[in-house]
Amino acid sequence: MSGRFAARLVVAVTSADVGQRISLRRRLPTGEYSDVVGMLESWSGGTLAVRRRTGELVEVPEDAMVAAKVVPPQPPPRRRPRREDD
């Protein structure tokens, strides 16, 4: 057995998942990979539009997708514990 790790890349989203939060891995033109996490706003004409939490809209060509899945909603921000004044 070799020491290499083999991951199974699966695209488990469809156009029916529009409105859901997704995690998507895409292959860039350079051959590198990049991840996009956000709300799937649309999927038409072979292009997915994903809105990141920053508000940025990322358009991903369908054929650049190598893995994708629906993920749970973003958790609410954590509150810092209040400091007691001595």
Side-chain angles (χ1 to χ4, degrees):
M1 179 174 212
S2 73
R4 291 182 174 239
F5 174 74
R8 188 178 70 178
L9 301 175
V10 177
V11 175
V13 295
T14 68
S15 58
D17 293 315
V18 170
Q20 298 290 317
R21 184 169 180 253
I22 66 166
S23 175
L24 178 145
R25 177 157 290 169
R26 62 185 169 163
R27 183 184 303 263
L28 300 172
T30 61
E32 298 175 319
Y33 293 94
S34 173
D35 294 334
V36 180
V37 177
M39 297 298 291
L40 179 57
E41 289 200 352
S42 68
W43 187 341
S44 64
T47 302
L48 291 81
V50 181
R51 175 93 45 200
R52 290 183 163 158
R53 69 179 173 184
T54 61
E56 176 189 7
L57 185 64
V58 180
E59 293 186 341
V60 179
E62 191 175 308
D63 60 355
M65 253 193 322
V66 294
K69 65 182 179 179
V70 174
V71 294
Q74 183 176 350
R78 288 185 167 184
R79 293 180 58 171
R80 290 184 173 195
R82 292 177 64 179
R83 289 183 58 183
E84 297 288 329
D85 290 334
D86 293 316

